[in-house]
Amino acid sequence: MSSMLKPVVLSMQGLKRCLVTSSKLILPVSSGDKKSDSTSKSCPNPENLEDGFHKFFPNVISQIIKHSRCQNIPDVAKWINTVFETNCSGGKMRRGMTILESLLILKDGKIDQDELQDAFLVAWAAEMMQSFILIMDDYMDQSETRRGKPCWYKTGNLGPKAMNDAFLMESSIYELFYHSLSSKPFYKEILHLFKDSGIKNKTAFEAAWNIALPLGIYFQEQDDYLDLYGDPNVTGKVGSDIRFGKCTWFAVQVMKTGKKHQIKLLKDFYGSKQEESIQKIKKLYEEMNLQNVFHNHALERSEEFNSKLNKLPNSVPTIIFHNIINSIVNRNK
């Protein structure tokens, strides 16, 4: 997954830039809601931002169903609702919240109600993109749980048919954008940002890349740690890296620093689904004191990120990276 994290992190930066530079958008609102006067209304306080973000989700689902061309088929509409409710809820929501928090920072808290709804929609699109990736990733890895629930492909014995729902989720992002933003001059830019990061300022892009790439790699290293030592009640999933023979930070450390007999043990038992073999690998990690080695590695990474922050050019908003780094470095799920 580390290769998939890089474009996600960078795309988030691009999306923030696009939100800030865009003019007001007009998004559909739930029935019964009245369009607010965008010149007199300001955004909610930051502490209410997450609550508003969650409350906006039903509106997103209703728009997806409305434009699915199947809204008059009750079973299909019900299934779409189930797919999105199940797969887009229960997570950390860091991608969506990063967009919203960044908008508040860059606009100095001065955003009107229209801009806020735009931000909610783009933020949920980012969460949908993540859920699309996770559905496929869980099936490919044959994982058991995700966010404290059975993985989607294991729901109702869906199996490979879960891929249909994954691609439904991805395509719905662009349906939302088409029906909400297609008349806007920046519509194509929004699409490009979700497909691939556009480069307008090469210096800023390279500076962001130089910090986003190692940050994305470290995010994956943390996942490797949490797979072994995380609390399933907190992480929402049961560790499976050893039995599936994943290329993790811990396995790489054995290959890089282990003695001959330790490397042989890894090769003999890593990737086995037998509990006895899994315990031998865990004992090997304990013997090599890799948990403490990782803690030292994490401290070095944190210092590295702080050093890179101090070298960012003025064209890159440092405070946003501060928030992203803090949310990642201190995470436990």
Side-chain angles (χ1 to χ4, degrees):
M1 285 291 289
S2 59
S3 62
M4 304 181 83
L5 287 170
K6 296 179 288 186
V8 170
V9 174
L10 291 172
S11 292
M12 294 303 98
Q13 293 298 318
L15 286 169
K16 294 163 204 161
R17 290 196 299 272
C18 185
L19 280 169
V20 172
T21 57
S22 66
S23 58
K24 295 189 180 77
L25 314 178
I26 303 298
L27 293 184
V29 293
S30 303
S31 57
D33 288 346
K34 293 183 179 180
K35 204 69 175 175
S36 60
D37 180 357
S38 62
T39 60
S40 60
K41 297 279 187 176
S42 60
C43 70
N45 295 326
E47 58 266 23
N48 297 326
L49 197 61
E50 186 169 1
D51 183 56
F53 180 40
H54 284 283
K55 288 180 178 178
F56 189 79
F57 190 47
N59 184 47
V60 172
I61 296 179
S62 69
Q63 291 302 314
I64 291 169
I65 294 174
K66 177 181 178 180
H67 300 298
S68 68
R69 302 179 182 86
C70 300
Q71 60 175 316
N72 295 323
I73 307 176
D75 287 346
V76 174
K78 183 178 179 181
W79 182 253
I80 291 174
N81 187 79
T82 300
V83 170
F84 283 82
E85 283 278 6
T86 304
N87 289 286
C88 293
S89 62
K92 298 180 288 292
M93 303 296 174
R94 272 321 311 163
R95 290 155 187 82
M97 286 304 299
T98 295
I99 292 174
L100 299 174
E101 291 164 358
S102 299
L103 180 62
L104 277 178
I105 291 169
L106 295 176
K107 297 280 285 185
D108 196 26
K110 298 174 183 177
I111 55 176
D112 59 45
Q113 202 66 25
D114 290 343
E115 290 174 318
L116 185 61
Q117 287 199 7
D118 301 342
F120 283 156
L121 184 136
V122 176
W124 274 115
E127 290 295 332
M128 288 161 58
M129 180 65 75
Q130 171 69 358
S131 297
F132 152 66
I133 293 171
L134 293 180
I135 291 173
M136 296 193 298
D137 188 61
D138 286 341
Y139 179 72
M140 290 186 289
D141 291 348
Q142 292 293 289
S143 299
E144 295 291 329
T145 59
R146 170 70 64 181
R147 297 170 176 170
K149 300 175 289 189
C151 293
W152 182 245
Y153 80 93
K154 296 181 74 69
T155 303
N157 295 317
L158 276 174
K161 290 185 288 186
M163 299 300 98
N164 294 331
D165 297 326
F167 288 111
L168 166 67
M169 188 164 292
E170 185 198 26
S171 63
S172 295
I173 293 171
Y174 305 108
E175 284 287 321
L176 279 173
F177 288 166
Y178 174 76
H179 291 288
S180 301
L181 308 176
S182 60
S183 63
K184 305 300 176 180
F186 47 81
Y187 169 62
K188 289 184 179 180
E189 186 175 12
I190 287 281
L191 295 182
H192 287 313
L193 289 170
F194 266 77
K195 287 292 187 181
D196 192 17
S197 279
I199 303 176
K200 288 187 173 181
N201 183 326
K202 189 174 181 180
T203 300
F205 177 84
E206 289 178 351
W209 175 268
N210 288 334
I211 192 170
L213 177 58
L215 192 59
I217 293 173
Y218 178 63
F219 189 96
Q220 183 59 48
E221 292 169 347
Q222 281 185 316
D223 270 359
D224 297 343
Y225 179 90
L226 293 172
D227 185 88
L228 274 172
Y229 303 112
D231 182 354
N233 294 322
V234 176
T235 63
K237 55 185 178 181
V238 178
S240 60
D241 286 351
I242 294 175
R243 65 190 179 104
F244 283 111
K246 297 288 191 66
C247 180
T248 68
W249 183 90
F250 293 88
V252 169
Q253 293 306 305
V254 176
M255 296 301 295
K256 287 173 62 177
T257 66
K259 298 176 182 178
K260 286 185 178 180
H261 75 277
Q262 292 172 325
I263 294 174
K264 184 179 185 303
L265 189 149
L266 183 78
K267 291 181 177 179
D268 288 345
F269 297 102
Y270 198 71
S272 170
K273 294 178 174 60
Q274 299 297 320
E275 185 59 29
E276 183 180 356
S277 298
I278 294 172
Q279 291 305 316
K280 285 183 178 181
I281 298 298
K282 288 184 176 181
K283 187 175 180 181
L284 171 63
Y285 292 166
E286 184 179 344
E287 175 187 312
M288 295 182 65
N289 198 30
L290 290 186
Q291 186 172 10
N292 286 332
V293 173
F294 182 88
H295 289 319
N296 292 331
H297 171 70
L299 290 174
E300 292 173 359
R301 281 297 212 182
S302 180
E303 292 175 0
E304 174 193 345
F305 297 141
N306 286 328
S307 175
K308 288 179 179 292
L309 279 176
N310 293 331
K311 297 176 183 177
L312 286 175
N314 293 333
S315 54
V316 178
T318 304
I319 189 171
I320 290 178
F321 271 106
H322 266 298
N323 288 355
I324 294 172
I325 289 170
N326 287 337
S327 68
I328 291 177
V329 168
N330 299 317
R331 74 188 184 101
N332 62 355
K333 62 178 180 178

